């Protein structure tokens, strides 16, 4: 397989050193020495989707900022490799968000431009673009710091590193049984997509009891029992759901996506093991009662041999903006007890969509030093469209996490499950598309 050239831009060790500026006699306005400071980071002439905001602790304090990561995809790398690229860091004092009568509460202190050699990083060389203190230039005319002839300084370590990834695209919506293609890499990036998998979807209860999704004989007996319980829909859900919801139309269950290689053999699957049901008195799936999927991987011992790989939970977040909340855990066989390791938890706007990501840089538990089961950085990412939009997920997988096509298949199955969660968590006052309901009345 030919990976696509991605570049990972990391900005670390952010600190701000402020000059001694007399406080105005009135005491009004934003004063940098007492107000919180932050910075925005973006690439010049690049889409705002890559812009990031980070807290900027003062050098005199004991605080520190988390690393900021910007990912350049293959198209951005090609565009920026042909001309100089600059990272623009804009420094502000005051609150990060909110305006008053159209005027931002934050005051600009200045900005720093850091040249970044994207071409060298894309060619496989780690590049340190900046390491140390630098003056914050571009003071607003008439500011106290400008009139005094002094400048603030910002400390940063800016690294550009190669981050090659395999890229795959669904040829259609996962519930429509599409072909999954690999997007070719290479310098030109203009080759033809190659089919690598087919995707089959079932919305019926029978899917969760299919013979093709039975546990492998080499599993421990306890793991085999747990897997059969999951796939029969009795681990959390059908008895519980029946107690609260007598109507079949008030639950979304039994959905299964199976990923097949080009020979027709199943290599991975995602099976809905906990139905998605509305919480009592509401029309939404709540965080307290999420639906869940089991992601399964074929073991290579035959078409009917599977092992659990991960469990995905999803719900609909409450708040000013509707969002799909999710949590992903790896599942391990540890004898009589289940062992799980959380690897992702976040939310995606139900209106705009977004991206599902497994990456230690974006997961608080990994950043806090918890055990991370993957070697290396970025693991995978998948696009997710908002409600009502046709979705053809694009899946990215870090090359260091792929040893065979079976490794890719579980990420493709996971991507399909995440995409279908947007439908499963749809408000129950809204009807699902016919492809998602075809077997429910059997």
């Amino acid at each position: 397989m030919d990976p696509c050239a991605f570049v990972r831009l990391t900005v670390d060790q952010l600190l701000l050193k402020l000059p001694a500026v007399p406080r105005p006699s009135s005491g009004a306005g934003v004063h940098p020495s007492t107000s919180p400071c932050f910075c925005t980071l973006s690439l010049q002439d690049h889409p705002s989707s890559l812009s990031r905001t980070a807290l900027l602790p003062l050098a005199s304090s004991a605080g520190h900022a988390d690393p900021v990561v910007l990912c350049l995809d293959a198209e951005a790398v090609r565009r920026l490799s042909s001309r100089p690229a600059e990272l623009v860091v804009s420094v502000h004092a005051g609150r990060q968000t909110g305006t008053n009568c159209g005027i931002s509460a934050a005051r600009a202190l200045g900005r720093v431009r850091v040249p970044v050699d994207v071409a060298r990083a894309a060619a496989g060389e780690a590049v340190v673009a900046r390491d140390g203190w630098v003056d914050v230039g571009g003071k607003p005319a008439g500011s106290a710091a400008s009139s005094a002839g002094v400048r603030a300084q910002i400390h940063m370590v800016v690294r550009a590193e190669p981050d090659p990834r395999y890229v795959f695209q669904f040829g259609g919506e996962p519930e429509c049984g599409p072909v999954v293609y690999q997007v070719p890499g290479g310098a030109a990036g203009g080759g033809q997509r190659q089919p690598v998998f087919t995707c089959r979807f079932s919305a019926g209860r029978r899917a969760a009891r299919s013979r093709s999704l039975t546990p492998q004989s080499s599993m421990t007996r306890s793991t085999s029992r747990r897997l059969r319980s999951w796939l029969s829909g009795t681990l959390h859900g059908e008895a519980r759901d029946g107690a609260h919801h007598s109507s079949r139309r008030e639950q979304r269950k039994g959905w299964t996506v199976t990923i097949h290689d080009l020979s027709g053999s199943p290599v991975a699957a995602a099976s809905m093991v906990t139905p998605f049901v509305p919480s009592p008195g509401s029309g939404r799936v709540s965080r307290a009662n999420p639906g869940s999927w089991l992601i399964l991987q074929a073991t290579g011992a035959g078409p009917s041999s599977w092992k659990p790989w991960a469990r995905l939970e999803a719900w609909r977040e409450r708040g000013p903006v509707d969002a799909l909340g999710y949590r992903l855990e790896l599942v391990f066989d540890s004898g009589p007890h289940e062992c799980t390791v959380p690897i992702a938890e976040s939310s995606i706007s139900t209106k705009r969509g977004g991206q599902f990501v497994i990456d230690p840089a974006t997961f608080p538990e990994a950043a806090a030093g918890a055990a991370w089961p993957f070697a290396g950085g970025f693991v995978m990412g998948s696009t997710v469209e908002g409600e009502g939009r046709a979705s053809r997920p694009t899946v990215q997988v870090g090359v260091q996490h792929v040893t065979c096509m079976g490794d890719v298949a579980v990420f493709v199955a996971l991507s399909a499950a995440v995409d279908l969660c947007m439908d499963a968590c749809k408000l129950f006052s809204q009807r699902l598309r016919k492809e998602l309901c075809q077997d429910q009345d059997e």
Side-chain angles (χ1 to χ4, degrees):
M1 294 189 295
D2 191 12
C4 295
F6 281 63
V7 169
R8 189 181 186 91
L9 192 62
T10 305
V11 184
D12 202 359
Q13 300 181 29
L14 282 165
L15 288 171
L16 183 65
K17 186 185 297 182
L18 293 171
V21 180
R23 180 186 295 274
S25 58
S26 65
V30 175
H31 195 267
S33 63
T34 58
S35 300
C37 296
F38 67 96
C39 64
T40 58
L41 304 98
S42 60
L43 286 168
Q44 185 179 20
D45 301 327
H46 208 72
S48 58
S49 59
L50 270 179
S51 178
R52 299 288 184 271
T53 301
L55 290 174
L56 199 52
L58 297 177
S60 57
S61 70
H64 63 89
D66 293 330
V68 180
V69 177
L70 291 84
C71 175
L72 304 180
D73 61 21
E75 178 60 31
V77 168
R78 284 193 291 270
R79 188 165 58 249
L80 293 173
S81 294
S82 61
R83 57 184 175 84
E86 279 190 332
L87 175 69
V88 180
V89 183
S90 301
V91 182
H92 304 266
R95 294 190 302 273
Q96 288 189 52
T97 59
T99 60
N100 186 15
C101 298
I103 302 174
S104 174
R107 179 165 68 88
L109 299 180
R111 64 178 53 179
V112 172
R113 296 179 181 271
V114 180
V116 180
D117 195 336
V118 174
R120 282 174 59 195
E125 181 181 353
V127 177
V128 179
R130 171 70 65 180
D131 185 356
W133 293 95
V134 60
D135 288 342
V136 177
K139 290 292 185 296
S143 70
S146 177
S147 61
V150 293
R151 292 180 183 273
Q153 288 186 317
I154 185 172
H155 182 278
M156 67 180 79
V157 177
V158 181
R159 302 187 304 273
E161 301 167 297
D163 189 17
R165 304 176 186 181
Y166 297 115
V167 180
F168 304 87
Q169 288 180 336
F170 283 71
E173 296 176 294
E175 64 269 27
C176 297
V179 173
V180 179
Y181 299 89
Q182 184 187 359
V183 178
Q192 294 292 323
R193 298 187 308 171
Q194 298 295 322
V196 289
F197 300 114
T198 58
C199 180
R200 297 180 187 174
F201 173 78
S202 174
R205 294 182 64 186
R206 294 174 302 169
R209 297 174 172 83
S210 170
R211 290 184 181 180
S212 65
L213 297 181
T214 57
Q216 60 170 343
S217 59
S218 60
M219 283 183 182
T220 64
R221 185 172 300 175
S222 59
T223 301
S224 180
R225 284 199 301 267
R226 282 198 301 270
L227 182 53
R228 285 195 174 92
S229 180
W230 278 325
L231 295 177
S232 64
T234 60
L235 180 62
H236 298 291
E238 292 192 5
R240 177 198 64 189
D241 302 326
H244 293 293
H245 304 282
S246 59
S247 172
R248 294 275 299 277
R249 294 183 181 275
E250 292 183 352
Q251 16 185 323
R252 293 159 184 168
K253 61 182 178 180
W255 299 1
T256 297
V257 177
T258 309
I259 308 301
H260 298 254
D261 62 21
L262 295 183
S263 71
S265 299
V267 287
S271 182
M272 187 184 284
V273 292
T274 305
F276 287 70
V277 298
S279 59
S282 78
R284 66 175 64 218
V285 181
S286 70
R287 185 187 184 105
N289 189 26
S292 70
W293 296 74
L294 190 64
I295 312 302
L296 300 161
Q297 185 175 31
T299 62
S304 61
S305 297
W306 299 86
K307 66 175 181 180
W309 180 77
R311 183 170 58 228
L312 172 69
E313 293 182 339
W315 58 90
R316 194 178 182 101
E317 293 277 19
R318 285 188 176 274
V321 178
D322 271 355
L324 172 72
Y326 65 82
R327 181 189 305 112
L328 180 69
E329 300 173 324
L330 287 186
V331 178
F332 295 97
D333 178 15
S334 59
H337 303 290
E338 176 187 292
C339 177
T340 62
V341 177
I343 58 173
E345 183 170 350
S346 190
S347 61
I348 300 170
S349 168
T350 57
K351 181 179 180 180
R352 300 186 307 273
Q355 189 162 28
F356 171 88
V357 177
I358 305 175
D359 189 337
T362 62
F363 188 52
E365 283 80 353
W372 183 251
F374 299 99
F378 175 86
V379 179
M380 72 88 69
S382 177
T383 58
V384 183
E385 293 293 340
E387 289 181 343
R389 300 182 182 180
S391 180
R392 298 185 177 187
T394 297
V395 186
Q396 304 168 5
V397 184
V399 295
Q400 66 270 34
H401 305 295
V402 176
T403 58
C404 62
M405 290 303 291
D407 296 333
V408 175
V410 292
F411 292 120
V412 171
L414 172 61
S415 173
V418 173
D419 185 82
L420 288 165
C421 282
M422 191 64 77
D423 293 293
C425 289
K426 200 171 184 178
L427 294 176
F428 278 75
S429 58
Q430 302 173 358
R431 293 184 61 86
L432 296 177
R433 297 190 304 277
K434 63 179 181 180
E435 293 86 356
L436 298 169
C437 306
Q438 57 188 5
D439 298 335
Q440 292 293 336
D441 295 329
E442 290 184 2

